[in-house]
Each structure stands twice: as structure tokens, then as C-alpha cells.
């Protein structure tokens, strides 16, 4: 709930300390942010949200696919890596699946709290309910995060945009940024068979370029999951990914119909631990 994380937030307009007042979050200088009926607070400051926010259909597909447990090994690994954290944030949290996995793990501190940040209100509605100690906040990673300096122990960033300066600012000294990116083997053979957007070879170098100035790469590991997916699950995993933006739904459905049912698919994730440079 927002009460769990309000102490770690700042007013996105003036940087002052905010507080909960009725149905809104306010700061002492009078800036006010609505708390939606579904429990997330809207701290977006720009006139328009970026066009990269996940749509209702993408969020529904992701919620369905993740709830089926297909990516559970990734959630477990992230929970292990974040086991000692008291304050966990997730930039581009989506439905809050991985953040809830961290807070709900047996190894998690009983008082650990989670700040779910995303631009998609459809995603935040779910994130706000994903775990009792998650506070969900609408914010644009590109514009700056309404989170206090140096208060986050572990920051998750799973298949979502990165802002190195802001990530470094909100992490405490000694804190860890956990970045999950797809490897070139992710969703083999669906990428080739369905003509999905593929991970470009340069992805690693670009992530390094973005983060390298403020973070030191500590440990890098790959988690691979072999999945046997029926048609509905294939449609969900495609619908939740970037190809959903670029390919017509009827065209995709036609290509999916041409696949074996079920089909063997590999999910392949790179998890990189980054330490803030002093
Ligand atoms: C591929 S999804 C991943 C969601 C979640 N991390 C997961 O793996 O289930 C990318 C997420 O980033 C969010 N997003 C896109 N642009 C953003 C931005 N500028 N600021 C914050 N979130 C953003 C989208 O709304 C979406 O929820
Ligand atoms: Zn303010």
C-alpha cells in the first residue's frame, strides 16, 4: 500500500516530502497527486505519457502468462538476489509480478517494502494489488523518478527502460541494480517462426553504454527455461512483448495457427547485477 512507501517518495514537481491526505498525495508546497480507486498514485508530471506504456491488451497477456508460472525460475532467482533488501523498487514494474515475488519470498525481510514504478495505468492497477507491501506509482523513467535519494537497497529493471542517472540517485551506496534483458536465444523458435522482433546483437553493448558511467558490472548470469506452450500461452507470450506493437493481431494469429501445438520454446534471460559507482 502507499502508506508503506510514502516515506521513500518525493514530490516530482519540487522534491519536497509528500504525505497522504484523503484521496491524494500532497507535498507541503501544495502540489497534489491523485490516488486512483485501484490504489496507485499518479505522479506523472508531463502533459502526455510516453507512447511506450503497455496497453490493456499487453498487460492482460502478461498477467495471464506470468500467473501460469512460466517464468517462475526467473522470479525465484531475483528473489534470491534481493533477499536482504528492505526497500526494493522496480522501474517498469508492469503488473508487479517480480516485485511481489521478492517481497513474498521466504527469505524476504518481514518488513520489506516495494515501490512499483510504471507509466502504464493498466499495469499499475495490477501492481497495486500484487502484494500488500507494494506501493504503486505512475512515473516516467525518462523524466525522473519521484523517489528519495539513496533510499533503495535493490532496484529491479526487467525488460524495461533504463535511466542511469536516476537509478544511481535513488540507490543507496552499496545498493544493487538488477537488470534483466532477453538474450539472443530468447523465445526460440518463436522469433523466427512468427517473425517477432529479435534481440539485436548490440543489446549488451547498449545496456553497458547506458549504465557503465554510473554503475560497475558486478555479476552476469543467464537463466534459461524450457517451456512447452499451447496455443493460448504462445498468443499470450507474443501479445505481452514488443512485437505486439508492430504486427497485426490477425496476422500473428494466422502464423501461430501454423505452429505445432504444443510447441517447445526456450526463454532465455540475462540477469546483470550492477553496483553504483562511489
Ligand atoms: C516489457 S514490460 C515489462 C514489465 C515487467 N517488468 C515484467 O517483466 O513483467 C515493460 C514495462 O515498462 C513500462 N514502461 C515503458 N516505458 C516506460 C517509461 N518511460 N517509464 C516507466 N515505465 C515504462 C511499460 O508500461 C511496461 O509495463
Ligand atoms: Zn511539491
Amino acid at each position: 500500500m502507499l502508506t508503506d512507501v510514502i516515506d521513500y517518495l518525493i514530490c516530482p514537481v519540487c522534491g519536497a516530502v509528500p504525505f497522504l491526505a484523503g484521496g491524494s498525495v500532497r507535498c507541503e508546497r501544495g502540489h497534489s497527486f491523485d490516488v486512483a480507486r485501484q490504489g496507485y498514485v499518479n505522479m506523472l508530471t508531463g502533459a502526455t505519457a510516453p507512447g511506450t506504456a503497455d496497453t490493456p491488451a499487453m498487460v492482460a497477456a502478461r498477467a495471464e502468462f506470468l500467473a501460469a508460472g512460466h517464468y517462475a525460475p526467473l522470479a525465484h532467482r531475483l528473489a534470491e538476489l534481493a533477499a536482504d533488501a528492505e526497500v526494493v523498487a522496480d522501474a517498469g514494474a508492469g503488473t508487479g509480478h517480480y516485485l511481489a515475488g521478492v517481497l513474498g519470498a521466504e527469505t524476504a525481510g518481514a518488513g520489506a517494502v516495494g515501490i512499483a514504478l510504471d507509466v502504464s495505468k493498466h499495469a499499475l492497477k495490477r501492481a497495486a494489488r500484487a502484494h500488500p507491501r507494494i506501493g504503486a506509482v505512475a512515473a516516467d523513467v525518462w523524466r525522473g523518478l519521484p523517489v528519495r535519494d539513496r533510499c533503495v537497497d535493490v532496484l529491479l529493471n526487467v525488460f524495461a527502460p533504463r535511466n542511469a542517472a536516476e537509478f544511481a540517485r535513488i540507490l543507496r551506496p552499496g545498493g544493487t541494480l538488477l537488470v534483466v534483458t532477453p538474450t539472443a536465444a530468447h523465445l526460440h523458435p518463436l522469433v523466427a517462426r512468427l517473425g517477432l522482433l529479435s534481440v539485436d546483437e548490440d543489446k549488451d553493448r547498449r545496456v553497458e553504454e547506458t549504465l557503465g558511467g554510473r554503475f560497475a558490472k558486478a555479476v552476469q548470469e543467464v537463466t534459461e527455461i524450457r517451456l512447452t506452450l499451447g496455443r493460448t500461452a504462445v498468443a499470450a507470450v507474443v501479445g505481452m512483448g514488443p512485437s505486439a506493437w508492430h504486427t497485426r493481431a490477425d496476422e500473428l494469429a494466422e502464423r501461430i495457427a501454423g505452429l505445432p501445438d504444443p510447441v517447445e520454446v526456450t526463454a532465455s534471460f540475462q540477469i546483470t547485477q550492477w553496483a553504483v559507482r562511489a
Side-chain angles (χ1 to χ4, degrees):
M1 296 210 304
L2 285 171
T3 44
D4 294 297
V5 305
I6 188 80
D7 288 349
Y8 303 111
L9 302 182
I10 53 172
C11 171
V13 179
C14 71
V17 175
F19 51 89
L20 274 159
S24 56
V25 169
R26 291 193 200 154
C27 84
E28 58 201 6
R29 299 205 179 122
H31 302 120
S32 179
F33 308 92
D34 289 343
V35 177
R37 194 167 38 87
Q38 297 91 350
Y40 67 87
V41 60
N42 183 1
M43 289 189 144
L44 285 168
T45 50
T48 50
T52 50
D54 269 12
T55 61
M58 291 169 82
V59 173
R62 174 165 304 110
E64 177 190 323
F65 189 83
L66 294 176
H70 297 300
Y71 287 174
L74 174 61
H76 286 148
R77 185 63 188 136
L78 292 176
E80 267 172 23
L81 293 172
D84 296 330
E86 287 299 313
V87 179
V88 189
D90 189 341
T95 61
H97 179 77
Y98 298 106
L99 190 54
V102 167
L103 299 180
E106 272 175 20
T107 44
V113 299
I115 308 167
L117 302 154
D118 204 286
V119 272
S120 165
K121 293 175 185 172
H122 312 287
L124 288 167
K125 284 179 197 172
R126 296 189 187 253
R129 295 193 309 250
H131 188 280
R133 291 192 309 279
I134 285 181
V137 181
D140 180 352
V141 164
W142 300 124
R143 281 180 179 261
L145 301 171
V147 178
R148 256 177 41 196
D149 291 4
R150 301 168 164 235
C151 74
V152 173
D153 298 310
V154 171
L155 175 58
L156 305 179
N157 178 247
V158 185
F159 283 49
R162 287 164 282 278
N163 179 334
E166 280 296 276
F167 287 6
R169 180 184 65 76
I170 68 172
L171 274 165
R172 68 161 170 77
T176 305
L177 166 64
L178 293 178
V179 176
V180 180
T181 47
T183 76
H186 187 53
L187 297 187
H188 172 80
L190 295 183
V191 171
R193 293 286 300 265
L194 301 177
L196 307 181
L197 291 185
S198 56
V199 178
D200 75 75
E201 310 262 310
D202 262 4
K203 175 114 192 158
D204 227 20
R205 191 183 51 77
R206 280 188 288 109
V207 174
E208 181 111 32
E209 250 172 39
T210 316
L211 297 175
R214 305 202 187 240
F215 290 88
K217 196 192 271 186
V219 186
Q220 198 160 39
E221 64 190 58
V222 170
T223 291
E224 270 194 358
I225 311 169
R226 305 220 183 279
L227 302 164
T228 305
L229 301 180
R231 291 265 157 84
T232 317
V234 169
V237 80
V238 172
M240 73 194 230
S243 297
W245 294 111
H246 301 281
T247 321
R248 283 195 9 225
D250 52 346
E251 224 173 281
L252 267 178
E254 209 169 288
R255 290 184 214 160
I256 290 172
L259 289 174
D261 185 20
V263 57
E264 305 288 319
V265 176
T266 301
S268 180
F269 309 97
Q270 180 142 275
I271 306 175
T272 310
Q273 301 176 47
W274 297 85
V276 198
R277 288 190 197 277

